[in-house]
Amino acid sequence: MAAEQGSREGLHNGGGPLLTVFLFDRRLEESLCEEKSLRIRGGYQELRADVCETFGIRPSEAFVISTTNRKQLTDSNFNGIIKDGITLYILNRIDQLLSSSTQERINFLPHYDTLIKSGSYEYYASEGQNPLPFALAELIDNSLSATAKNCGIRSIQIRLLFDESQGKPAIAVIDNGKGMSSVQLKNWAVYRLSKFRRGSEVDSEDASYVPPQPVARSLNSDISYFGVGGKQAVFFIGHSARIITKTSDTQDIHEFILSKDDFEKKEKNNEFIYTGYIRNRKPADFSHVTEDDKNLRNLIMEEKDKESFTAVIVTGVQPVHIQYLKNFLRLWVTQLAHIYHYYVHGPKGNVLGKPKTIPIDIEVYMFEKAKVPKILNLREINDDMQTLYINSAADSFEFKALVEREGVVEGIIRYHPFLYDKETYPEDPYFLSRGNEDIDEIDDDCIIVEKEARGRRPIFECFWNGRLIPYTTVKEFDWCTIPKKRGFVPTECYNRISGVLFTNDKFEVSTNKLTFLDLELKLQDKNTIVTRVTNGQEQRVKIDREFALWLKECHENYDKQIKFSGFKGVITRQDITSKRMQTPWATYTSIEWDGKTYKAGQLVKTIKTSPLIYGSIVKFLLYGNHDGDVYATGGDVQIALEPKELYDEMKCVPISKIDRIVARSSIKKYIEDEMAKLPDTLAISWPDGDALEENDIKPAGAVIGKLHCLNVGITGKNLLRLAFHTPVYRPPYTLLYTL
């Protein structure tokens, strides 16, 4: 028979493999004939004969064979219409109504743009940053997973092959991990075939996924996850990726290419898109590589001495990416050092001055024509943000959060003190809104700070399985935010903390590992249990009170803004209304602040007081029962107003009110100008005659001349003219003037 339900093998008349079509007979009004399949063994006439045989139709009967969009099949259009798996109708006429419903098979494989443009879609929203380092990080993730079980050094190299004399630009990411078999390489190529499903594939050599054992900071290298990131990354960077790999238990090298040009060629030729070939060859065999591609030949030659490895080579690199990688090498390598900080430095991070024993080397090599290669090791980067946070911190507060039983978050809060004349909280070059804070409001209880330390930045950076998720931060928790009421410490101390959260894999992240999907929501759930960790031991305590006390200790022990010297004793202040704050106050004769020394007797001027105060320092006052030199963040200064002849008064103001930039000469000039307003001499004259002479005696009733009096200041300047009417004196009084 012509129809054997898809079992007949052979070739149709075009010489290619037999095609299968599916037919429904809907000629009769009550037709319930189910679908039947036929293999195409020739042209239209052969198909018509097979239909007659299969459906019991006499050859002389009139009927038409139609597509589901009612296009009648004929000799002339047969080859253009017939495709493998097409559904056809058998009808009496082309415009006949279907007597009963049918089912049509469709294939809805995604267009290859889903793969080759996925990188652009995923990395487009880069929040003001160039996303290229994050794309490279996806390839590093794969290498970290591949090297997780290495016994010795875990080596990951990013090679920027930009020497035009050696071939077209390329980027290679090479590791000395376990490598992949040909079946594992096939699984790698499948878009969105995650590690959780690979072990369940019928022809898979991957064992079923086994979660890693808990380790400090979740540094388990279990970060090659979804079967998505690597493909997205290579097609964001370039147009083609060549994967070369070898396992330790075989001598064969496996090589596979994913190429945009290949996809487009297959679509143009009406070929199945998602097919390809894995090249299996011996090590160092570059016979398939063109002579002008020296970069690839050199990489293949290195295979001889490798027990196992994987190399991902991206070609067709976009020119804009090449320029960025060249011009901003140090910048994006520093970003990578931030992302993998705890992998290259260990759970405690990059504590400068301590030896490093972590066996992970992530290195970047850049090769350019006629230039010495540039080499950067991520471990040698000492200015990534985590390194800056760790080494500028004076103390840390560790805690752990348990979420829904299996979700574990390890947290660290670090304190960055104010030292002498500046904040030590590190600047973040990627936080653009920094510097817009309103600093007009000044707290009289603390020192004026030109900028808040952290500013508007959130407290916590977030790491997933030990690797930074760059676009997710957590602003704060209720227990470490600035209290509504006055707490143990000045409010600016809350802006001197930074933090890190380390989560395990029970929290979801996006496939490009740029954001967490549910972290903050879960952490703020009322059932989340937060404990303090001290010396590695968890303690069930009131976390808000523990944090507040820790912050108070940090403020008292580490903030060193002003040095008080010349201790004179402890006094009680009557000028303070609150009895609780009247004592004890330690008194000092001098302070060192902002690189300057201020002493008793020194002339100063205030800022932001009404009115402004000019005077000389009497003493400095610091609240607390101190008995010697000490550093502190605030205090008061007692000032005797100048000039004393005009203002016989003293005032106490916060030290923060001292004008640190005014010139001493300006203060002296102001005081001299004030002194000049005081009278020094009274000058008397008789402009109209009849003057009185010294010791002159006049009889009662004598007339003297009109009297003029002048106040003359210290500078000799006339201050005020006084005019009197001529007095007439009668006995028995004697008028006596002493000039």
Side-chain angles (χ1 to χ4, degrees):
M1 288 186 58
E4 296 180 352
Q5 302 301 313
S7 62
R8 182 182 299 175
E9 301 294 336
L11 301 175
H12 65 71
N13 61 359
L18 288 176
L19 305 179
T20 299
V21 298
F22 299 92
L23 296 102
F24 289 90
D25 185 358
R26 290 297 182 263
R27 292 171 302 148
L28 303 178
E29 290 296 327
E30 299 298 329
S31 175
L32 296 176
C33 180
E34 297 300 323
E35 172 191 80
K36 294 186 179 181
S37 63
L38 291 175
R39 290 291 180 88
I40 300 300
R41 58 185 181 86
Y44 172 70
Q45 295 301 326
E46 287 80 6
L47 174 62
R48 183 180 175 87
D50 290 342
V51 167
C52 290
E53 180 180 354
T54 302
F55 290 92
I57 304 173
R58 293 192 301 274
S60 58
E61 287 187 40
F63 66 91
V64 296
I65 303 174
S66 166
T67 64
T68 56
N69 62 353
R70 298 305 179 97
K71 190 167 187 177
Q72 184 174 344
L73 206 62
T74 64
D75 282 314
S76 60
N77 64 15
F78 181 83
N79 289 331
I81 290 177
I82 293 298
K83 303 285 190 251
D84 190 45
I86 192 173
T87 298
L88 302 172
Y89 299 151
I90 304 171
L91 304 172
N92 290 318
R93 60 184 187 280
I94 196 67
D95 59 352
Q96 174 192 329
L97 290 175
L98 290 176
S99 57
S100 59
S101 64
T102 65
Q103 291 182 330
E104 180 177 5
R105 285 177 172 79
I106 62 170
N107 291 322
F108 44 90
L109 287 172
H111 192 272
Y112 63 84
D113 274 356
T114 306
L115 179 59
I116 65 175
K117 292 185 178 180
S118 62
S120 298
Y121 299 149
E122 289 289 338
Y123 295 107
Y124 184 77
S126 57
E127 298 193 4
Q129 301 181 39
N130 190 308
L132 188 55
F134 305 136
L136 292 172
E138 288 287 356
L139 302 178
I140 297 174
D141 287 350
N142 292 342
S143 292
L144 279 173
S145 294
T147 60
K149 296 184 178 180
N150 281 23
C151 295
I153 293 293
R154 299 167 64 182
S155 174
I156 301 169
Q157 296 182 358
I158 302 171
R159 300 190 192 179
L160 310 179
L161 306 173
F162 295 157
D163 183 349
E164 297 87 346
S165 67
Q166 299 297 306
K168 294 180 179 179
I171 298 173
V173 179
I174 307 168
D175 66 67
N176 66 342
K178 61 184 179 180
M180 292 180 280
S181 67
S182 60
V183 173
Q184 291 168 332
L185 179 56
K186 181 205 74 171
N187 288 338
W188 181 92
V190 178
Y191 191 59
R192 289 190 181 273
L193 180 58
S194 72
K195 65 168 62 179
F196 307 106
R197 293 181 51 82
R198 291 176 192 172
S200 63
E201 298 295 307
V202 174
D203 59 350
S204 176
E205 295 177 358
D206 291 298
S208 296
Y209 175 71
V210 178
Q213 293 297 313
V215 293
R217 311 300 187 223
S218 295
L219 292 166
N220 50 41
S221 300
D222 194 29
I223 49 180
S224 176
Y225 225 64
F226 304 106
V228 175
K231 273 78 75 178
Q232 290 176 347
V234 296
F235 285 113
F236 175 77
I237 298 169
H239 293 158
S240 177
R242 184 187 300 262
I243 300 89
I244 306 174
T245 187
K246 176 185 179 297
T247 60
S248 60
D249 58 358
T250 179
Q251 293 299 313
D252 294 339
I253 301 289
H254 309 296
E255 187 174 331
F256 177 67
I257 298 176
L258 282 173
S259 167
K260 176 184 176 182
D261 292 341
D262 186 48
F263 288 141
E264 292 176 344
K265 180 180 178 182
K266 289 176 180 176
E267 183 183 49
K268 183 178 180 180
N269 295 336
N270 293 321
E271 298 176 12
F272 188 68
I273 301 294
Y274 294 100
T275 58
Y277 297 95
I278 292 177
R279 182 183 297 274
N280 301 311
R281 56 175 177 79
K282 64 183 179 180
D285 179 5
F286 54 77
S287 57
H288 57 296
V289 180
T290 58
E291 291 186 5
D292 59 346
D293 196 350
K294 297 178 182 178
N295 282 326
L296 182 55
R297 287 192 166 210
N298 293 336
L299 290 174
I300 291 176
M301 285 296 294
E302 296 176 12
E303 298 169 356
K304 285 183 177 180
D305 303 322
K306 294 183 178 180
E307 183 178 355
S308 61
F309 73 94
T310 297
V312 178
I313 305 155
V314 183
T315 54
V317 182
Q318 297 184 46
V320 64
H321 292 335
I322 295 175
Q323 288 303 313
Y324 175 80
L325 293 171
K326 285 183 177 181
N327 296 339
F328 301 98
L329 176 65
R330 177 77 188 193
L331 175 66
W332 62 262
V333 171
T334 301
Q335 287 181 271
L336 290 180
H338 187 190
I339 293 172
Y340 298 105
H341 180 94
Y342 293 94
Y343 275 102
V344 297
H345 296 293
K348 294 186 181 298
N350 185 18
V351 181
L352 297 179
K354 289 193 175 182
K356 310 295 190 302
T357 58
I358 307 302
I360 299 179
D361 276 328
I362 303 178
E363 297 176 298
V364 176
Y365 296 75
M366 185 164 74
F367 300 91
E368 296 180 272
K369 186 177 181 180
K371 292 184 179 180
V372 177
K374 297 177 181 177
I375 305 174
L376 292 173
N377 189 313
L378 266 58
R379 187 180 293 110
E380 297 171 358
I381 301 297
N382 290 328
D383 57 354
D384 65 282
M385 286 310 300
Q386 278 301 309
T387 296
L388 298 179
Y389 285 135
I390 290 169
N391 290 279
S392 63
D395 201 356
S396 61
F397 180 94
E398 295 195 30
F399 61 95
K400 181 179 286 187
L402 184 62
V403 181
E404 296 177 354
R405 294 187 179 182
E406 293 185 331
V408 177
V409 179
E410 298 175 74
I412 303 175
I413 296 176
R414 302 186 177 103
Y415 191 79
H416 307 274
F418 195 107
L419 294 181
Y420 311 113
D421 62 348
K422 63 182 179 181
E423 297 284 1
T424 60
Y425 197 102
E427 293 280 352
D428 185 350
Y430 303 110
F431 194 82
L432 301 180
S433 64
R434 183 80 195 279
N436 298 324
E437 295 84 3
D438 183 2
I439 60 172
D440 290 337
E441 296 298 326
I442 299 176
D443 185 349
D444 285 351
D445 294 331
C446 60
I447 290 303
I448 301 173
V449 178
E450 298 301 329
K451 287 184 181 180
E452 291 181 353
R454 191 177 66 252
R456 296 176 182 174
R457 285 181 277 176
I459 295 175
F460 296 99
E461 291 191 325
C462 302
F463 287 71
W464 175 80
N465 283 353
R467 153 284 200 239
L468 178 70
I469 304 301
Y471 293 168
T472 292
T473 54
V474 174
K475 183 178 180 181
E476 60 194 9
F477 297 122
D478 291 341
W479 50 267
C480 63
T481 190
I482 297 175
K484 294 180 180 178
K485 296 182 179 180
R486 185 183 180 98
F488 293 130
V489 296
T491 56
E492 73 266 22
C493 293
Y494 287 85
N495 278 302
R496 291 177 182 149
I497 58 174
S498 67
V500 193
L501 300 178
F502 301 92
T503 80
N504 61 6
D505 60 2
K506 301 305 177 184
F507 299 86
E508 294 185 54
V509 296
S510 59
T511 56
N512 57 14
K513 304 189 189 80
L514 293 180
T515 57
F516 275 95
L517 303 182
D518 57 355
L519 175 61
E520 191 163 8
L521 186 64
K522 287 185 175 181
L523 284 174
Q524 294 182 353
D525 187 276
K526 63 180 181 180
N527 296 317
T528 296
I529 300 172
V530 182
T531 56
R532 185 175 183 182
V533 178
T534 305
N535 297 324
Q537 300 298 316
E538 294 183 48
Q539 299 175 337
R540 295 292 293 270
V541 294
K542 290 185 177 180
I543 195 69
D544 52 348
R545 179 172 176 79
E546 286 290 309
F547 172 76
L549 291 173
W550 171 80
L551 193 64
K552 180 175 181 289
E553 291 177 3
C554 288
H555 174 58
E556 294 173 348
N557 295 332
Y558 303 118
D559 286 332
K560 302 184 184 305
Q561 186 162 344
I562 301 175
K563 181 180 180 181
F564 289 76
S565 304
F567 175 72
K568 302 299 289 184
V570 176
I571 65 170
T572 298
R573 290 178 60 177
Q574 301 299 328
D575 60 317
I576 297 178
T577 56
S578 172
K579 290 185 178 181
R580 183 176 66 87
M581 294 297 295
Q582 287 180 351
T583 189
W585 284 88
T587 59
Y588 294 87
T589 59
S590 67
I591 63 169
E592 293 178 23
W593 178 33
D594 198 12
K596 298 179 181 179
T597 300
Y598 298 86
K599 297 180 179 181
Q602 182 175 334
L603 294 177
V604 292
K605 167 186 171 289
T606 64
I607 57 173
K608 297 193 176 183
T609 60
S610 182
L612 296 179
I613 297 172
Y614 291 79
S616 58
I617 297 171
V618 178
K619 58 190 171 188
F620 297 97
L621 303 107
L622 177 63
Y623 184 76
N625 205 3
H626 307 286
D627 60 359
D629 292 359
V630 65
Y631 283 97
T633 57
D636 288 351
V637 57
Q638 188 179 59
I639 302 174
L641 277 61
E642 296 283 356
K644 293 183 176 66
E645 293 82 355
L646 191 59
Y647 308 106
D648 186 15
E649 185 181 359
M650 289 189 291
K651 285 187 176 293
C652 285
V653 297
I655 293 174
S656 61
K657 302 294 188 180
I658 294 177
D659 190 339
R660 290 179 284 170
I661 61 174
V662 66
R664 180 180 174 84
S665 58
S666 297
I667 302 175
K668 292 183 69 175
K669 184 178 185 305
Y670 173 85
I671 295 173
E672 289 171 357
D673 290 344
E674 289 294 290
M675 283 293 296
K677 297 176 182 178
L678 294 175
D680 182 63
T681 306
L682 182 65
I684 299 174
S685 64
W686 287 266
D688 297 333
D690 295 327
L692 285 177
E693 301 297 335
E694 186 176 0
N695 297 321
D696 200 2
I697 298 175
K698 295 283 187 181
V703 176
I704 62 176
K706 185 178 180 181
L707 179 67
H708 283 252
C709 297
L710 289 175
N711 280 329
V712 180
I714 294 175
T715 60
K717 183 179 179 181
N718 295 336
L719 302 178
L720 181 64
R721 180 184 296 272
L722 302 175
F724 299 94
H725 292 294
T726 304
V728 178
Y729 297 95
R730 289 180 173 84
Y733 304 108
T734 300
L735 180 63
L736 177 65
Y737 285 91
T738 301
L739 301 179

